[in-house]
Amino acid sequence: MGLTDDRERFREVGEERRGDLSEFISHGDLGGSGPDRVKIPVKIVDLPEFEYDKREAGGVGQGQGGQPQPGQPVDPEPGDGDEDGDPGEEGGEHEYYEMDPEEFARELDEALGLDLEPKGKRVVEEVEGDFTDTARAGPRGTLDVDEFFKRGLKRHLATDFDGEYVREGLFVAGADVDEAFAWARGKGVPVSRAWVADAAATLAEERGEPVMALDRWESFDALDDEVEREPVSHRIRREGIDSVPFRREDERFRHPEVIEKRERNVVVVNVRDASGSMRETKRELVERVFTPMDWYLTGKYDAAEFRYVVHDAEAWEVDREEFFGIQSGGGTRISSAYELVEEIVEEYPYNEWNRYVFAAGDSENSGSDTTDSVIPLMESIDANLHAYVETQPGGAAPNARHADEVENALGDADDVAVARVSEPADVTDAIYEILSTEAEGDGDATAGGAAADGGGERR
């Protein structure tokens, strides 16, 4: 087997690893990835191959004198077989399958059965499409000749009429120009009085007597009974059109269709409890939930910005590295974080930005801070989704009430999610709980399916 076969096998292993992200999310080393690249570890598989044994003796099929004898057993090489041995102490060799956040988001959608379609908000560009729009002004080179001709022709058809039919009205006994004009307009003929007057003058000159003396018809009713007006369309088909009267107001100039391009952008404010009760295991669970969600939203949106807030009794903003690495200490007042979040999101107008506020901690909070301050702040901060992740290894502590209080107050809202993580196996369920809440709350997207197997419980 050659190098090509090795690469093909490695590709297949990589595809299998991509197809099941839950193990990586729950137990993998997230630190090997960056904001733009996600590195999934893939264990190298030893590939079988044939190898020629160059040893002169002891090989398969070699008997005395180099010739095998009938019934001669084949001796295994020392060390072969299924003998028990001590387990190895060194780890296996690994390589990494790299994917960008967009690919990661697609894989996570497939793995968890999600289908989040972000909305574009801020208009960042107006793109010119096909020349399908028209306007009254523009460069002469963009004149829409077809539209110009159609408008002129439409006017011609609207103003043309059967002149011979109108002239017959002047032959009604005792009818003058005004009476003939009133009769013609009453019949819906688009004729002017000046045209009728000119026709009367021509007839008077030809006949040598006043038009009122012409008496071919005793009344207009008698005329209508005998003479049928010819439609303009029939006459045009018979005689054709010598000319079309164009006017400047008929001109239309072609313009490109203007298409607004809306950027799908998002700001994610991640909040973490850094009080004294948030020991290393709890901090690791926060990172294990938040990091894949950051990758997911980076892959889903055209532009993503992340802000990080930590708090004990007070809150302050940090960078990403500090957010996951800062040591714990101090008391707890979760509302201090939401007060800072409220200031941060003011930099991102809600009519232009999608907003997510993700908070995590062990659900311990001081006094009545959750009901008196946190919940009102969550209700007042406009966001696509507010989420709280409770990290309590081994289950909830007696004084860990924050998640329950938020869920009791806001659990029916379609923009609030509460998830609980007590061990790494709960992580994929927590991510599903949060992201499916956003997908279900979006009128243009739906979420379905079930999360990968693991601990935890969805409400």
Side-chain angles (χ1 to χ4, degrees), residues 306-310 315-319 322 340 344 347-348:
F306 296 89
R307 306 286 289 269
Y308 298 93
V309 173
V310 295
W316 63 100
E317 189 170 3
V318 297
D319 60 25
E322 290 180 284
L340 181 54
I344 291 173
E347 303 174 27
Y348 305 88

Side-chain angles (χ1 to χ4, degrees), residues 156-446:
H156 176 67
L157 295 176
T159 58
D160 199 8
F161 57 89
D162 185 352
E164 292 301 322
Y165 175 72
V166 175
R167 285 189 184 90
E168 286 299 314
L170 296 171
F171 285 92
V172 174
D176 60 11
V177 170
D178 289 331
E179 290 174 320
F181 172 68
W183 163 79
R185 295 306 295 264
K187 293 295 183 181
V189 179
V191 64
S192 66
R193 187 186 182 286
W195 190 95
V196 177
D198 288 343
T202 300
L203 285 174
E205 184 178 350
E206 291 176 352
R207 299 299 180 98
E209 56 183 333
V211 69
M212 292 178 63
L214 302 178
D215 57 359
R216 182 180 299 173
W217 311 105
E218 62 181 23
S219 67
F220 287 109
D221 289 338
L223 186 157
D224 290 332
D225 289 340
E226 296 296 332
V227 179
E228 184 177 349
R229 180 172 41 159
E230 183 180 27
V232 175
S233 58
H234 291 182
R235 188 171 63 262
I236 289 177
R237 278 197 291 267
R238 186 181 69 250
E239 300 176 0
I241 300 178
D242 294 332
S243 63
V244 175
F246 295 115
R247 298 182 183 179
R248 183 169 294 276
E249 57 262 34
D250 294 332
E251 292 181 344
R252 292 295 183 273
F253 297 87
R254 290 180 288 108
H255 281 264
E257 180 185 6
V258 177
I259 304 172
E260 289 185 346
K261 180 181 179 182
R262 292 182 176 270
E263 184 179 44
R264 300 183 304 173
N265 52 356
V266 64
V267 57
V268 182
V269 185
N270 288 319
V271 177
R272 182 175 81 76
D273 184 355
S275 64
S277 60
M278 286 292 293
R279 300 304 182 186
E280 182 178 0
T281 302
K282 297 178 182 179
R283 296 199 304 267
E284 289 178 355
L285 292 176
V286 174
E287 181 176 8
R288 199 161 289 285
V289 175
F290 278 11
T291 299
M293 289 199 299
D294 284 359
W295 291 335
Y296 181 83
L297 294 174
T298 299
K300 280 290 184 178
Y301 284 89
D302 298 323
E305 292 193 19
F306 296 89
R307 306 286 289 269
Y308 298 93
V309 173
V310 295
H311 73 89
D312 45 30
E314 301 296 330
W316 63 100
E317 189 170 3
V318 297
D319 60 25
R320 187 179 189 280
E321 184 176 354
E322 290 180 284
F323 182 79
F324 292 115
I326 194 167
Q327 297 299 309
S328 302
T332 307
R333 188 171 67 90
I334 298 176
S335 62
S336 64
Y338 282 90
E339 290 165 359
L340 181 54
V341 169
E342 192 171 35
E343 296 177 12
I344 291 173
V345 297
E346 287 181 359
E347 303 174 27
Y348 305 88
Y350 192 49
N351 62 337
E352 296 183 1
W353 288 80
N354 294 280
R355 297 170 172 177
Y356 294 83
V357 180
F358 296 152
D362 57 10
S363 274
E364 297 181 14
N365 198 11
S366 60
S368 59
D369 182 57
T370 297
T371 56
D372 292 348
S373 300
V374 176
I375 291 173
L377 282 166
M378 292 176 69
E379 291 176 320
S380 67
I381 297 172
D382 288 326
N384 296 57
L385 180 64
H386 284 277
Y388 183 77
V389 180
E390 178 186 279
T391 56
Q392 274 287 0
N399 58 342
R401 303 184 307 273
H402 179 75
D404 291 338
E405 291 175 346
V406 169
E407 194 168 41
N408 290 337
L410 305 176
D412 293 334
D414 59 6
D415 59 352
V416 176
V418 175
R420 295 171 175 82
V421 179
S422 60
E423 58 180 345
D426 299 338
V427 168
T428 51
D429 279 348
I431 292 174
Y432 176 88
E433 175 69 23
I434 294 168
L435 297 178
S436 65
T437 300
E438 159 63 355
E440 290 168 354
D442 187 343
D444 295 333
T446 57

Side-chain angles (χ1 to χ4, degrees), residues 53 55 57-60 74-81 83:
D53 192 344
R55 288 172 293 184
V60 175
V74 178
D75 294 330
E77 290 294 319
D80 287 348
E83 297 180 5

